[in-house]
Amino acid sequence: MTKHELYKKVTQAYTARFQQSPQLVVRAPGRVNLIGEHTDYNDGFVLPVAVDQAAWLAVGAVEGPLTTVRALDIKNDEAIFSTTEVPASVGGWADYPKGVLWAFLERGVHPAPINAVLASDVPVGAGMSSSAAIELAFAFAWNTLGQFDISLSDLALLCQKAENQYVGVNCGIMDQMISACGKAGHAMMLDSRSLERRYFPMPEGVAIVVADSMVRRSLAASEYNIRRAQCEQAVSHLQAHLPEIKALRDVSLRQLEQFGHDLPEVVYRRARHVVTENDRVVKFARALHSGDIETAGALMIEGHRSLRDDYEVSAAELDALVEAAVEVPGCYGARLTGAGFGGCTIALVAEAAVSDFKTHIARVYDERFGKQPTVYVTHPADGVAAIR
Ligand code: GLA
């Protein structure tokens, strides 16, 4: 089998920089989410796939206290930090390996110093979890070299903790869990409360098409935290009537309609998105299982509307891409994917229609916004692994 281009790139750069071959090359994928947006931090359901695009890490253990990481895509930048104590955060990409190291130390586990070369083709800021991919690559490498035997789902939790508490981004568990536990050819339904996972084969003949709007919104992090707070506000209000609930995951639409009328209108709509989105994930999984791709596609379109109108995390560019997508015969459904405010949409498209699909949405987008989206087909890939 021919090696991936980034495998060769990190291996060669490692050898050139450190004058020996790497002990290990790790691949950790990015992801797209088919459905279940902003549900993970509400203890709900998500249904992502790990994708072709991934972070690649060539790595080897080294004598002495220092870890050296060269990031090939980031102006050939290099970070050097002590592996025996908690490294200082200075912002930027190196906070991901440092955060992972911090999370290992918090767990009472001491990773060995490493030399490493990192490259990634997960687009940054596009909502495809480029940061989770880097975290998992390092966590997996340290876990393997140190023979710590930490399970993949525990590595995902460790990386989420790094992201939440070291990097300072208050994300849910979806991105790290799919980068850790994805399965080629399959979508993964994750219960964000129990962390139970179920895998559904993607139907034959249906392509997952990503369209990157090329919009990058700096507001995303602050708006994300506002949405989280609104969900918590809805829960504490509803608990007055439903003392047994712990999260919006536990609330049905009927209960929300019955007890939510005196919530602030905005908070009510936020809660309605989460409650209906959880239901859509369950229905989507059922549709995938029975090969009913039309129903799955319709649920995606409904989900996009809910993100646009109730959760208000879309953008004119994402709405335009979704509208253009569903005009194409052979497109089953489309929606924004990831946190929103910019980034990508995904569509499920009959393979025979992919070429027309790409042409159409690129033309409509260019006419409307005077720029080209990046449109490509991606495939459900395996989660993090050592590549030999
Ligand atoms: C980001 C977060 C995830 C999830 C999505 C929205 O990707 O990292 O945990 O909340 O947004 O579904």
Side-chain angles (χ1 to χ4, degrees):
M1 201 175 105
T2 57
K3 293 284 188 199
H4 191 279
E5 188 198 323
L6 290 185
Y7 177 98
K8 294 184 209 149
K9 191 171 161 181
V10 292
T11 306
Q12 284 163 9
Y14 185 99
T15 310
R17 170 66 181 83
F18 300 113
Q19 302 299 307
Q20 54 185 318
S21 302
Q23 271 172 273
L24 200 64
V25 176
V26 178
R27 173 190 181 277
R31 62 107 187 88
V32 292
N33 188 16
L34 295 180
I35 198 153
E37 221 65 84
H38 293 278
T39 44
D40 60 353
Y41 54 82
N42 289 295
D43 276 4
F45 301 107
V46 293
L47 221 161
V49 297
V51 291
D52 300 326
Q53 292 71 24
W56 290 77
L57 189 69
V59 59
V62 65
E63 297 289 316
L66 295 179
T67 278
T68 302
V69 186
R70 172 166 285 207
L72 294 183
D73 303 323
I74 306 150
K75 294 188 222 111
N76 235 353
D77 199 10
E78 200 161 277
I80 302 177
F81 49 91
S82 166
T83 317
T84 50
E85 59 200 40
V86 175
S89 152
V90 290
W93 67 272
D95 271 8
Y96 300 118
K98 287 179 186 174
V100 169
L101 171 62
W102 166 82
F104 272 113
L105 295 174
E106 282 282 296
R107 206 185 149 105
V109 172
H110 291 262
I114 50 171
N115 285 330
V117 171
L118 171 69
S120 173
D121 59 359
V122 187
V124 174
M128 289 178 68
S129 300
S130 57
S131 54
I134 296 175
E135 289 156 3
L136 259 304
F138 279 93
F140 187 91
W142 268 317
N143 187 42
T144 306
L145 292 176
Q147 299 181 327
F148 301 141
D149 266 348
I150 301 175
S151 69
L152 289 173
S153 64
D154 278 357
L155 287 180
L157 287 165
L158 185 147
C159 291
Q160 184 203 17
K161 187 169 172 184
E163 181 93 38
N164 290 168
Q165 296 183 36
Y166 187 91
V167 181
V169 176
N170 209 11
C171 65
I173 188 59
M174 166 168 68
D175 306 346
Q176 287 78 14
M177 200 57 103
I178 184 67
S179 186
C181 301
K183 186 168 163 187
H186 291 72
M188 182 183 92
M189 182 175 174
L190 171 71
D191 177 336
S192 305
R193 172 175 280 164
S194 68
L195 301 185
E196 188 197 334
R197 300 177 290 281
R198 281 184 65 194
Y199 294 89
F200 295 90
M202 286 303 291
E204 294 284 316
V206 179
I208 302 172
V209 189
V210 178
D212 188 340
S213 68
M214 310 309 282
V215 176
R216 305 287 184 263
R217 290 272 155 82
S218 54
L219 266 183
S222 55
E223 288 292 333
Y224 187 89
N225 289 340
I226 293 170
R227 297 300 180 285
R228 284 193 75 139
Q230 288 167 330
C231 291
E232 281 159 25
Q233 192 185 337
V235 171
S236 48
H237 174 95
L238 292 167
Q239 275 168 339
H241 307 277
L242 302 162
E244 70 284 4
I245 67 164
K246 295 196 168 54
L248 284 176
R249 147 75 178 274
D250 304 313
V251 179
S252 69
L253 184 58
R254 254 191 60 208
Q255 289 172 322
L256 180 65
E257 284 167 352
Q258 193 177 352
F259 301 117
H261 43 81
D262 49 353
L263 276 169
E265 191 265 342
V266 169
V267 176
Y268 180 82
R269 281 191 288 116
R270 303 298 188 247
R272 184 167 60 189
H273 164 72
V274 174
V275 167
T276 56
E277 183 79 349
N278 269 325
D279 192 44
R280 278 186 288 272
V281 180
V282 174
K283 287 182 176 149
F284 188 103
R286 212 176 289 146
L288 262 192
H289 189 63
S290 58
D292 181 0
I293 196 72
E294 276 84 10
T295 297
L299 288 161
M300 290 170 78
I301 297 169
E302 228 177 76
H304 183 80
R305 281 198 206 111
S306 177
L307 288 163
R308 182 191 65 194
D309 301 336
D310 275 355
Y311 221 61
E312 295 181 281
V313 294
S314 192
E317 290 87 345
L318 297 172
D319 294 341
L321 285 170
V322 169
E323 279 156 31
V326 297
E327 282 165 8
V328 180
C331 172
Y332 298 102
R335 56 184 287 282
L336 73 82
T337 189
F341 303 103
C344 297
T345 61
I346 48 157
L348 294 182
V349 183
E351 260 162 14
V354 166
S355 168
D356 288 351
F357 179 89
K358 285 183 176 172
T359 314
H360 179 73
I361 66 168
R363 186 177 53 73
V364 169
Y365 197 70
D366 190 14
E367 275 168 16
R368 175 100 188 263
F369 298 101
K371 58 183 171 192
Q372 288 288 320
T374 315
V375 189
Y376 51 89
V377 172
T378 195
H379 307 90
D382 278 325
V384 66
I387 307 295
R388 302 197 190 276

